[in-house]
């Protein structure tokens, strides 16, 4: 393991917890927030748009990490994450809200990818595997904190919606029955099954074809280094050239 203080490890894990907070932090008051932002017709998009930003821009973020370094890209991700998060609360134009949420997804992609990259650079062997496990726990921690805050005090409570995003650590969540008894809570997901038919149509008819056309025109290209899963143990010490992505063949 390269030299890093305990405070540095804590900071790295804390930044990883932000990746799930981008959606879950607004989920409990999604209805009220959507009205305030003038986004009442499609409130679910406020949660899913950052994910779209991650999917579209993650490859480009990866290239920037190869060129600029994981540490610098983590800082570049944290600053717009904070600014865009604060700015979003003061917008009332749906188009500006869409742009803000997508760009927030780009910042999230930078934080997530750069954090994982720093773990790969600073840790080796068992220490690296341990940190990856801790990172997964930190990512889910954001959701756990939200759930803990939902517990009522025995009186009447507001209607609350909890949205789960991904399952990097586990496909299950721990939900105390006391929360269900004390809070008017609704559980939701963010996969394609939660999208409306017109949103799926837009993805298939416009967004994906445009991405594929960019790839066909050579404007969207990712060089990869492939390694079979059976040789994964030998891959930890590999030096990957800048601009290339590591792919495990299963």
């Amino acid at each position: 393991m390269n030299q890093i203080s305990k405070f540095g490890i804590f900071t790295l894990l804390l930044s990883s917890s932000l990746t799930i907070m981008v959606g879950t932090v607004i989920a409990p008051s999604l209805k009220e927030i959507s009205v305030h932002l003038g986004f009442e017709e499609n409130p679910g998009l406020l949660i899913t748009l950052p994910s779209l930003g991650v999917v579209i821009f993650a490859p480009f973020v990866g290239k920037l990490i190869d060129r600029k370094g994981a540490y610098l890209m983590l800082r570049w991700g944290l600053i717009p994450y904070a600014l865009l998060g604060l700015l979003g609360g003061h917008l009332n134009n749906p188009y500006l809200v869409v742009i803000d949420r997508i760009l927030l997804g780009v910042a999230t992609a930078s934080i997530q990818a750069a954090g994982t990259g720093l773990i790969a650079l600073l840790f080796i062997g068992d220490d690296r595997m341990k940190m990856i496990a801790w990172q997964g726990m930190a990512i889910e921690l954001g959701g756990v904190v939200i759930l803990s805050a939902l517990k009522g005090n025995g009186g009447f409570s507001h209607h609350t919606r909890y949205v789960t995003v991904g399952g990097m650590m586990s496909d299950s969540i721990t939900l105390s029955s006391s929360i269900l008894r004390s809070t008017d809570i609704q559980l939701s997901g963010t996969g394609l099954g939660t999208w409306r038919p017109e949103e799926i149509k837009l993805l298939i008819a416009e967004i994906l074809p445009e991405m594929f056309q960019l790839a066909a025109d050579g404007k969207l290209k990712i060089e990869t280094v492939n390694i079979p899963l059976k040789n994964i143990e030998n891959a930890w010490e590999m030096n990957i050239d800048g601009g290339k992505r590591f792919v495990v063949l299963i």
Side-chain angles (χ1 to χ4, degrees), residues 101-124:
R101 297 300 289 174
I102 290 178
L103 291 178
L104 189 58
V106 179
T108 303
S110 180
I111 294 172
Q112 186 173 9
T116 304
L118 283 174
I119 291 176
L121 289 173
L122 297 174
F123 300 87
I124 59 175

Side-chain angles (χ1 to χ4, degrees), residues 99-161:
I99 295 174
D100 178 83
R101 297 300 289 174
I102 290 178
L103 291 178
L104 189 58
V106 179
T108 303
S110 180
I111 294 172
Q112 186 173 9
T116 304
L118 283 174
I119 291 176
L121 289 173
L122 297 174
F123 300 87
I124 59 175
D126 292 339
D127 290 331
R128 179 183 291 168
M129 296 301 297
K130 186 184 297 183
M131 275 300 299
I132 290 175
W134 276 102
Q135 184 191 37
M137 294 177 64
I139 291 173
E140 298 296 337
L141 178 62
V144 172
V145 171
I146 291 295
L147 282 175
S148 300
L150 294 180
K151 187 175 180 179
N153 57 9
F156 294 103
S157 62
H158 294 288
H159 177 72
T160 303
R161 177 182 296 172

Side-chain angles (χ1 to χ4, degrees), residues 42-54:
N42 299 287
L45 288 177
L46 292 175
I47 294 177
T48 56
L49 282 172
S51 300
L52 181 62
V54 171

Side-chain angles (χ1 to χ4, degrees), residues 53-107:
V54 171
V55 171
I56 294 176
F57 291 97
F60 303 103
V61 170
K63 287 183 175 293
L64 284 175
I65 290 176
D66 291 334
R67 296 177 181 176
K68 303 295 183 179
Y71 178 67
L72 181 61
M73 288 301 298
L74 180 61
R75 290 193 297 173
W76 284 5
L78 289 171
I79 294 174
Y81 184 98
L83 294 178
L84 291 167
L86 291 173
L87 178 63
H90 300 281
L91 300 175
N92 53 18
N93 183 301
Y95 297 103
L96 293 179
V97 172
V98 168
I99 295 174
D100 178 83
R101 297 300 289 174
I102 290 178
L103 291 178
L104 189 58
V106 179

